[in-house]
Each structure stands twice: as structure tokens, then as C-alpha cells.
């Protein structure tokens, strides 16, 4: 698998998770925090994979 495909996939996953954070912030803050942490991990993984 190409390195750029993995990075793009992880960034897409992070965007999806950030959308979940946005949509659940007013109703379920605990879930939003968990989703935000997972999104940050996905971005960190993409950066680490790219480097």
C-alpha cells in the first residue's frame, strides 16, 4: 500500500471523527471528548507515517 494512501486515509478518518465531535458537542460532551482524542491520534498517526 502506498504511503500517501495511508496518510490520506488517516486524515479522512480524523475529519470524520471531528464531524462527530461537532455534531455531538451539545448533547454528549463525554463522547465528544473521546472522539476528539481519537481524531488527534489519527492526525498524529498520519504525521508520523508521513515522516
Amino acid at each position: 500500500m502506498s504511503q500517501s494512501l495511508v496518510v490520506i486515509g488517516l486524515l479522512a478518518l480524523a475529519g470524520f471523527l471531528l464531524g462527530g465531535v461537532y455534531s455531538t458537542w451539545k448533547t454528549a460532551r463525554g463522547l465528544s471528548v473521546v472522539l476528539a482524542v481519537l481524531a488527534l491520534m489519527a492526525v498524529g498517526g498520519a504525521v508520523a507515517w508521513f515522516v
Side-chain angles (χ1 to χ4, degrees), residues 21-44:
V21 170
Y22 181 77
S23 66
T24 61
W25 181 250
K26 288 189 177 184
T27 58
R29 296 232 171 152
L31 178 62
S32 294
V33 170
V34 170
L35 289 174
V37 169
L38 291 174
L40 288 175
M41 289 175 62
V43 169

Side-chain angles (χ1 to χ4, degrees), residues 3 5 9 13 16-17 20-21 26 29 36-37 39 43 51:
Q3 178 182 5
L5 288 178
L13 176 65
F16 180 75
L17 290 170
V21 170
K26 288 189 177 184
R29 296 232 171 152
V37 169
V43 169
V51 172

